[in-house]
Amino acid sequence: MFRRQFLAGALSLAVLLPNIALGQAAASATSSAPEGAIEKIRDEGLNRSKVMQTLSYMTDVIGPRLTGSPGMRRANEWTRDKMKEWGMQNAQIEAWGAFGRGWSLRKFSAAVTEPNYSTLIAFPKAWSPSTKGAVTAEVVYLDAASNDDLAKYRGQLAGKIVLVGGERPLKPIEQPLMKRLDEAALTKLANAPIPGPNDGLGPPPAAFKQITEYFNQQARRMKFLQDEGAAVMLDSSAQGSGGTLFVQGASVGVEMAELKSFDDLFESPAFQPQNKKYQANMLPQVTVASEDYNRLIRMIKNGVKPKMTVEVDAQYHDEDPTQYNTIAEIPGTDPALKDEIVMLGAHLDSWHSSTGATDNGAGSAAVMEAARIILASGLKPRRTIRVALWSGEEQGLYGSRFYVRKHFGDMKDGKLVKGPEYDKLSGYFNLDNGTGKIRGVYLQGNANIKPLFESWLSPFGDAGAKTLTLQNTGGTDHLPFDAIGLPGFQFIQDPAEYDTRTHHSNQDNFDRIQPEDMKQASTILAAFVYQAAMMDGKLPRKTLIP
Ligand SMILES: [Zn+2]
């Protein structure tokens, strides 16, 4: 799932098309699966699951999958080959376009060397340049909230390791890190009203100025450090404690024009550390776990001049500027419907400081497993089922946005321009909220589809999945589909430890994955996709929202 600092994971793509009327009647509330088919899916998915093996290889062996990195490429190729091995057709990696430079880490170390030696928990930001070998230097605290404050440090930072931002107060953790949705939370979702045009999909335009200023303040600070010749920038993890740190992309030190739409953010320097044209002002930059960071600040406040040795040895990859999604299909078998498509997908890319297990190895493995379950159950879907594993999600839903534009269509000047497969797609199902099991579906305001999904969920009430909400959810790859009026859905999932421990952290690893939840999610995903592939008609689309 996509999120950048306080932006709380959301896109405004869907605002382009909140009121589209496609005039299809609601489907009758029946299961389209032949008798016994859902039982077969349950049996295969719950009793002979391979989802944990798939996820272990993806995370433990392939590792982090930062878009543009060799790990991403290996993941694209391995998932393609694995789905082919399972008997899927047309398995391929499909280019979606140019992304920018790849980046990977060859070596990193950081330690406090004076007044006494201590290691610390830290990780370079993605696309950080390398230090010039191992740098040993005094650590200074840049206590600057404004441009005027910055000016006070002129001439003092050359060759120094600079801490930006103050001590982050840490409180005891009184709530469990692991959370499931309780009845009250599910009831609230079930009773949510139909969303307004932009509800839940991104910050309101009134916030654009503040967002712009937030990123530009960071850019000015980075430019100042670069101009002053600082050696390394360190900041504190913005959340987490106990050795868990959260780290994303580097700051480039280039200001952006004031945002006109939330989508502009993806093209702005603040979101493009991978873009060579913005990299001139970058410094080596590292995020430090808050306990270790706070100690450094307190040492300095005590009048000590700590020293550190930091080495970042990173490699940029310019061999292939293009990036790819992995695509594979189970061909449809009904001569009249096999050209139509039901899609399921998840983003395969991750951030870089752990192995991207919950974000979003979990969703990727579950999507692959859902297809495997359908194949292994010997079922013959009428429509073609197409799996997509996206890349570039974390930097702005690039893989899915460009795929949707090429295959299904785009909004131009407020009007829909259909792509070659627009009328062939029944719907798209996405999984990207971590390891937590499925509790229901966000309907994205599509009330027409409620009776149908109610009947599809009914065999899974015992597994905890029974809630349908009209509410929108944002921040992931169903949005480009929704934005052009195609049914695109993200499931409601238990939060598990997603926001408290794993989402973009150095602890997003296989150990945080819940096997029973993964089996449940893969099985429900398989049932939904299969049902959609067996219907006489396509999934009902949204009607006009008054
Ligand atoms: Zn994410």
Side-chain angles (χ1 to χ4, degrees):
M1 186 177 183
F2 161 90
R3 174 159 57 190
R4 182 79 180 210
Q5 279 91 356
F6 64 91
L7 294 175
L11 270 177
S12 62
L13 282 168
V15 75
L16 295 169
L17 204 88
N19 295 332
I20 199 158
L22 290 149
Q24 293 191 358
S28 64
T30 54
S31 164
S32 303
E35 211 182 317
I38 298 302
E39 288 72 15
K40 280 185 189 168
I41 286 174
R42 274 184 76 120
D43 181 44
E44 181 66 27
L46 300 177
N47 298 323
R48 286 179 295 283
S49 177
K50 289 193 176 161
V51 71
M52 294 300 280
Q53 287 102 298
T54 303
L55 186 56
S56 174
Y57 198 94
M58 192 185 286
T59 57
D60 296 326
V61 181
I62 295 172
R65 302 171 302 282
L66 186 72
T67 298
S69 70
M72 182 74 244
R73 185 57 183 258
R74 272 198 300 282
N76 277 134
E77 290 172 351
W78 182 79
T79 51
R80 173 198 64 195
D81 295 347
K82 188 47 83 179
M83 289 193 281
K84 200 174 188 177
E85 184 190 311
W86 289 342
M88 293 183 74
Q89 309 279 310
N90 305 323
Q92 57 181 305
I93 60 171
E94 181 178 323
W96 54 255
F99 171 70
R101 312 182 86 185
W103 181 90
S104 64
L105 198 55
R106 279 189 291 229
K107 185 181 176 188
F108 169 64
S109 64
V112 181
T113 53
E114 285 182 30
N116 39 45
Y117 183 86
S118 93
T119 61
L120 34 73
I121 296 171
F123 214 92
K125 293 176 190 262
W127 290 283
S128 165
S130 301
T131 52
K132 295 184 179 80
V135 174
T136 299
E138 185 191 338
V139 182
V140 297
Y141 171 29
L142 182 80
D143 186 9
S146 67
N147 288 348
D148 289 348
D149 292 341
L150 281 178
K152 287 188 282 187
Y153 291 88
R154 193 151 282 144
Q156 297 173 37
L157 303 177
K160 301 284 169 59
I161 295 169
V162 182
L163 305 175
V164 297
E167 194 179 344
R168 182 166 80 90
L170 299 177
K171 298 208 170 76
I173 300 165
E174 297 188 75
Q175 301 294 327
L177 295 177
M178 173 72 192
K179 197 176 157 207
R180 292 198 184 274
L181 293 170
D182 59 17
E183 282 306 314
L186 292 169
T187 304
K188 194 173 167 210
L189 279 168
N191 293 335
I194 200 141
N198 197 29
D199 287 355
L201 295 173
F208 290 165
K209 195 170 180 176
Q210 195 192 344
I211 293 167
T212 307
E213 184 46 31
Y214 172 83
F215 287 113
N216 282 347
Q217 173 64 25
Q218 288 190 338
R220 284 192 291 273
R221 191 176 65 193
M222 179 55 66
K223 175 81 166 49
F224 180 79
L225 292 179
Q226 204 262 352
D227 289 347
E228 291 294 306
V232 184
M233 184 195 94
L234 304 183
D235 66 8
S236 172
S237 179
Q239 49 178 136
S241 65
T244 301
L245 63 86
F246 292 73
V247 54
Q248 296 180 227
S251 222
V252 296
V254 179
E255 292 187 52
M256 63 164 111
E258 189 171 323
L259 293 179
K260 296 279 178 281
S261 80
F262 193 41
D263 293 348
D264 292 347
L265 202 55
F266 303 133
E267 311 312 322
S268 76
F271 266 67
Q272 296 250 331
Q274 69 272 18
N275 192 329
K276 200 170 183 174
K277 76 177 176 190
Y278 296 134
Q279 290 176 345
N281 288 330
M282 284 170 101
L283 281 184
Q285 44 200 291
V286 174
T287 294
V288 181
S290 294
E291 291 88 344
D292 292 333
Y293 186 90
N294 288 347
R295 183 182 173 206
L296 285 164
I297 296 278
R298 290 190 297 261
M299 279 187 204
I300 292 167
K301 286 182 175 170
N302 274 297
V304 174
K305 292 187 172 177
K307 279 190 176 175
M308 282 180 69
T309 301
V310 178
E311 181 174 13
V312 178
D313 181 4
Q315 185 180 359
Y316 291 106
H317 300 274
D318 295 317
E319 307 87 78
D320 182 0
T322 306
Q323 286 303 310
Y324 305 86
N325 300 314
T326 306
I327 307 290
E329 292 182 340
I330 302 172
T333 54
D334 183 330
L337 295 179
K338 65 181 184 182
D339 287 344
E340 292 187 2
I341 311 150
V342 177
M343 283 192 74
L344 68 165
H347 75 88
L348 182 59
D349 64 303
S350 75
W351 283 107
H352 57 298
S353 70
S354 188
T355 59
T358 74
D359 186 18
N360 186 24
S364 299
V367 156
M368 290 171 69
E369 173 70 1
R372 192 201 65 78
I373 290 168
I374 292 167
L375 280 173
S377 303
L379 300 171
K380 302 276 176 251
R382 298 172 71 192
R383 286 183 184 76
T384 293
I385 292 172
R386 183 184 296 168
V387 166
L389 301 173
W390 314 113
S391 68
E393 192 271 356
E394 296 291 1
Q395 290 74 34
L397 315 189
Y398 284 104
S400 57
R401 280 197 294 151
F402 282 83
Y403 186 90
V404 165
R405 202 175 287 171
K406 176 177 156 196
H407 288 259
F408 302 118
D410 197 8
M411 297 300 293
K412 295 229 168 79
D413 302 324
K415 283 209 183 69
L416 171 69
V417 180
K418 287 183 182 181
E421 293 184 314
Y422 186 87
D423 293 317
K424 294 194 166 118
L425 186 78
S426 176
Y428 170 73
F429 297 94
N430 193 71
L431 202 69
D432 181 23
N433 286 179
T435 188
K437 70 180 174 184
I438 287 175
R439 308 302 303 272
V441 191
Y442 292 98
L443 301 181
Q444 304 292 130
N446 187 345
N448 292 342
I449 215 156
K450 206 172 169 189
L452 199 61
F453 282 6
E454 256 162 19
S455 80
W456 294 359
L457 278 180
S458 62
F460 298 102
D462 63 337
K466 57 172 189 174
T467 300
L468 296 172
T469 179
L470 289 167
Q471 200 171 299
N472 287 326
T473 190
T476 187
D477 296 296
H478 63 299
L479 291 178
F481 293 86
D482 191 48
I484 58 166
L486 291 170
F489 305 98
Q490 159 69 35
F491 290 88
I492 301 168
Q493 295 175 251
D494 273 335
E497 300 173 292
Y498 197 67
D499 285 337
T500 52
R501 202 202 300 255
T502 63
H503 180 204
H504 303 177
S505 84
N506 63 336
Q507 291 300 330
D508 191 4
N509 52 48
F510 186 82
D511 298 281
R512 305 263 67 88
I513 296 291
Q514 302 299 317
E516 295 308 314
D517 290 57
M518 294 297 301
K519 288 184 209 168
Q520 185 260 25
S522 318
T523 304
I524 292 177
L525 199 46
F528 263 65
V529 167
Y530 178 68
Q531 291 273 23
M534 296 303 286
M535 291 168 63
D536 288 336
K538 293 197 281 280
L539 290 173
R541 298 178 180 184
K542 291 185 199 182
T543 46
L544 189 69
I545 300 168

